[in-house]
Amino acid sequence: MTDPTRAAEDAARASYGKLVAILAAQSGDIAAAEDALTEAFIQALRLWPERGIPDRPEAWLLTTARNRRIDAARRDKRVTFTDEMPEIAMPDPHTFPDDRLKLMFVCAHPAIDEAIRTPLMLQTVLGVQAADIARIFHLPPATMAQRLVRVKRKIKDTRIPFTLPDDVDLPDRIGALLDAVYAAFAVDWQEGAGDLSHEAHFLATTLADLLPDNAEALGLAALITFVEARRDASPVDGVYVPLPDQDIGLWNTDLIDHAALLLTRASALQAPGRLQLEAAIQAVHAERHVTGVTNWRALSQLYAGLMQITPSLGAAVGRAVAVGEDAGALEGLRLLDLIDADAAEAFQPYWATRAHLLAASAPQEAAEAYSRAIELSTYAPATAWLEARRTALRSRLL
Amino acid sequence: MRYTFLLYSDPADFAHMTQDDWIEMKSVYGQYIGALQEAGVFVDTDWLHPADTATTLSMKGGEKTVQDGPVAETRESLGGYFVIDVPDLDAALAWAEKCPAAHAGKIEIRATAMDSLG
């Protein structure tokens, strides 16, 4: 906190999603809300280091952004602007998550192309830069920026409402929303930067608070909370630590307890689903902090269930890992061989798992699989871990 | 805000309709129009002759071209439209869901752009 510019930046960034949600919920114009907020941020970064950070930075930013919009509206005579509130009290803090939720439902609206929902949510709710989103989604920055502009224009021009869907639409829309939040979390989790998964954790727990009767919303919050609880356990000294090898002393047991509570509440609703199953898998791993061992049999069964509900490459590889530990490496390899080779070709966890399962029986092949995994790894701590495994294996080969 | 529903259907789906079917269909649409009027959201509607009777005109580039046929040659063609006036897209979607054309084909929903033209 010694650097006032940095402090101002942090305060501003932490409030971004809330403020866009409040501003856009009133006008329906996300782009205008973002523009006004950007100007308010610029002013904050100029003034705060000189005058000190205001007592209520969010209120200051909101007031400034609103004044900017009023000014802009006055300049643009064609717009009639009645929403003049120069001295606005900050809305009740409880309406914050509510406005954010509205914005999230707009981003996940069925009239919006599925492929752009998560990027839009990342940008508007979490304030991620379009260039970073483009990198995450492997698209040229100009293409991503163009798509984001287009979708915001559609929201404004076709007047997609900033409201919570009614009970009839809720089940459909909540699925899209949870998928988008999960994608935001997963993207960051794999890349390992951290900021985004914190935000996704916040969004998921907010959703669970606001929708306490939705089992999958609770499931997602549980899933993300379990993973968050292990943040300090990997990487260690720049090297990735696989879950079963993590030091349980580095796990956050408060978060684990909270995640377990969320999952219990989800189960009580008796509406099983994919996210609850994935959370249950994390719960089994987390139990090691009590029992001292990993129940691979339970994990094998949960992955088998997951493969039935939503088969995916990740679930298939996860299942091979669990079965490999429970029933032996050969059984695990047999499951890996069932996976479509073309699909697995560029999937790093597949090659890391293959290498691990081959290590005892075919060390030469295992070393080749590690090399393939290293080529595919985009996360430095994982690369370091894979290289260490390969070196250990080669020293045995000599 | 005004929304226009462009009703698209495959003419082949109507090829085997009897006179009674047409009377039935007119009555179904009549009920829908009645519901829109009762809700105070009805602006306009029309039922159009088939797409193969369409004439397309363009003055683009200062040159007049008149062509036989619709703008886009697709299996599904524009068969009619509704114009309604409701607050937002969700309300428009809710009315589109009730439109008989949605059950026989597709409805493209387009918001009015007049508002933004001033």
Side-chain angles (χ1 to χ4, degrees):
Chain A
M1 277 300 192
T2 46
D3 179 2
T5 307
R6 178 66 200 275
E9 269 175 10
D10 287 349
R13 194 174 298 121
S15 310
Y16 185 88
K18 298 174 190 178
L19 298 176
V20 168
I22 294 168
L23 290 164
Q26 288 165 354
S27 65
D29 189 341
I30 295 173
E34 288 177 323
D35 287 348
L37 202 52
T38 301
E39 289 187 45
F41 278 14
I42 291 167
Q43 216 167 349
L45 290 173
R46 196 163 53 80
L47 295 175
W48 293 3
E50 294 167 20
R51 298 184 192 170
I53 297 168
D55 290 342
R56 295 186 305 153
E58 288 177 349
W60 190 96
L61 285 163
L62 186 61
T63 307
T64 307
R66 275 187 177 147
N67 289 341
R68 290 277 156 177
R69 256 184 40 207
I70 292 163
D71 290 348
R74 284 197 183 119
R75 278 197 302 272
D76 188 350
K77 291 255 169 55
R78 288 173 302 174
V79 180
T80 47
F81 206 85
T82 53
D83 183 29
E84 289 199 31
M85 289 185 287
E87 289 297 324
I88 343 114
M90 232 6 218
D92 182 329
H94 295 288
T95 68
F96 264 172
D98 211 25
D99 274 334
R100 232 188 225 206
L101 188 60
K102 284 178 195 168
L103 181 57
M104 286 158 78
F105 271 115
V106 168
C107 295
H109 194 278
I112 289 173
D113 180 11
E114 228 170 284
I116 198 73
R117 287 177 191 166
T118 301
L120 182 65
M121 209 177 284
L122 292 179
Q123 195 191 38
T124 60
V125 184
L126 300 178
V128 182
Q129 300 289 321
D132 291 331
I133 299 171
R135 183 177 49 76
I136 293 165
F137 286 86
H138 310 292
L139 278 174
T143 309
M144 181 54 83
Q146 210 174 9
R147 287 187 192 171
L148 286 165
V149 167
R150 191 190 154 268
V151 71
K152 280 180 230 169
R153 205 176 60 217
K154 172 161 182 177
I155 290 167
K156 178 181 158 219
D157 291 349
T158 67
R159 210 174 282 175
I160 292 177
F162 282 67
T163 51
L164 302 180
D166 57 29
D167 294 347
V168 185
D169 288 334
L170 196 63
D172 286 346
R173 297 213 188 159
I174 192 81
L177 209 163
L178 295 176
D179 282 348
V181 173
Y182 190 14
F185 177 75
V187 156
D188 188 55
W189 187 19
Q190 282 153 10
E191 300 247 330
D195 298 346
L196 200 54
S197 50
H198 273 310
E199 288 284 4
H201 181 221
F202 174 80
L203 292 179
T205 43
T206 303
L207 275 176
D209 285 346
L210 292 165
L211 304 163
D213 297 329
N214 188 289
E216 284 289 86
L218 292 167
L220 179 64
L223 168 61
I224 292 181
T225 307
F226 273 125
V227 179
E228 276 287 302
R230 304 195 299 256
R231 181 180 287 281
D232 293 339
S234 175
V236 171
D237 297 331
V239 181
Y240 165 78
V241 184
L243 227 171
D245 300 341
Q246 287 176 7
D247 175 2
I248 52 177
L250 298 174
W251 289 356
N252 181 330
T253 47
D254 287 345
L255 282 180
I256 289 177
D257 291 345
H258 184 58
L261 181 73
L262 288 165
L263 189 55
T264 307
R265 274 167 42 201
S267 312
L269 294 167
Q270 300 198 326
R274 170 177 71 105
L275 298 170
Q276 291 168 77
L277 260 180
E278 291 195 35
I281 287 168
Q282 300 304 330
V284 171
H285 282 295
E287 267 171 25
R288 188 161 66 86
H289 92 281
V290 179
T291 62
V293 291
T294 301
N295 185 346
W296 293 107
R297 176 69 47 87
L299 286 172
S300 305
Q301 287 161 352
L302 287 169
Y303 272 115
L306 191 58
M307 282 298 285
Q308 276 188 340
I309 301 184
T310 40
S312 72
L313 209 47
V317 171
R319 187 183 177 196
V321 172
V323 170
E325 296 292 339
D326 179 45
L330 283 179
E331 281 303 298
L333 283 168
R334 197 179 58 78
L335 285 177
L336 273 191
D337 286 340
L338 295 176
I339 298 173
D340 178 46
D342 288 343
E345 183 57 34
F347 192 57
Q348 190 255 89
Y350 171 89
W351 293 102
T353 302
R354 188 164 192 89
H356 174 67
L357 292 172
L358 282 169
S361 60
Q364 185 57 47
E365 259 186 85
E368 285 161 21
Y370 273 127
S371 296
R372 178 76 185 130
I374 290 163
E375 274 170 36
L376 292 169
S377 176
T378 53
Y379 176 44
T383 313
W385 177 77
L386 290 164
E387 281 170 348
R389 299 287 290 219
R390 187 176 61 178
T391 306
L393 192 69
R394 280 187 176 154
S395 68
R396 268 177 37 210
L397 277 172
L398 290 172
Chain B
M1 172 107 113
R2 277 187 314 159
Y3 291 86
T4 300
F5 295 173
L6 303 170
L7 316 183
Y8 284 87
S9 56
D10 183 349
D13 291 344
F14 302 99
H16 305 291
M17 284 182 75
T18 64
Q19 195 58 34
D20 285 349
D21 290 339
W22 283 109
I23 292 165
E24 163 73 17
M25 196 165 168
K26 267 175 135 173
S27 131
V28 168
Y29 272 91
Q31 284 165 26
Y32 180 62
I33 293 166
L36 290 170
Q37 283 168 333
E38 206 172 309
V41 301
F42 180 83
V43 178
D44 191 17
T45 183
D46 206 346
W47 188 316
L48 307 175
H49 277 296
D52 58 19
T53 68
T55 306
T56 305
L57 172 134
S58 173
M59 298 289 285
K60 201 174 169 184
E63 193 186 341
K64 181 164 93 174
T65 57
V66 178
Q67 276 182 327
D68 179 30
V71 171
E73 289 285 357
T74 54
R75 194 169 57 86
E76 282 169 327
S77 64
L78 182 65
Y81 67 86
F82 277 94
V83 180
I84 65 166
D85 195 343
V86 290
D88 58 45
L89 184 63
D90 280 356
L93 280 164
W95 278 111
E97 229 174 88
K98 291 181 192 140
C99 180
H103 303 275
K106 290 177 189 152
I107 299 180
E108 182 176 317
I109 300 159
R110 303 273 289 267
T112 178
M114 281 299 240
D115 293 358
S116 57
L117 294 177

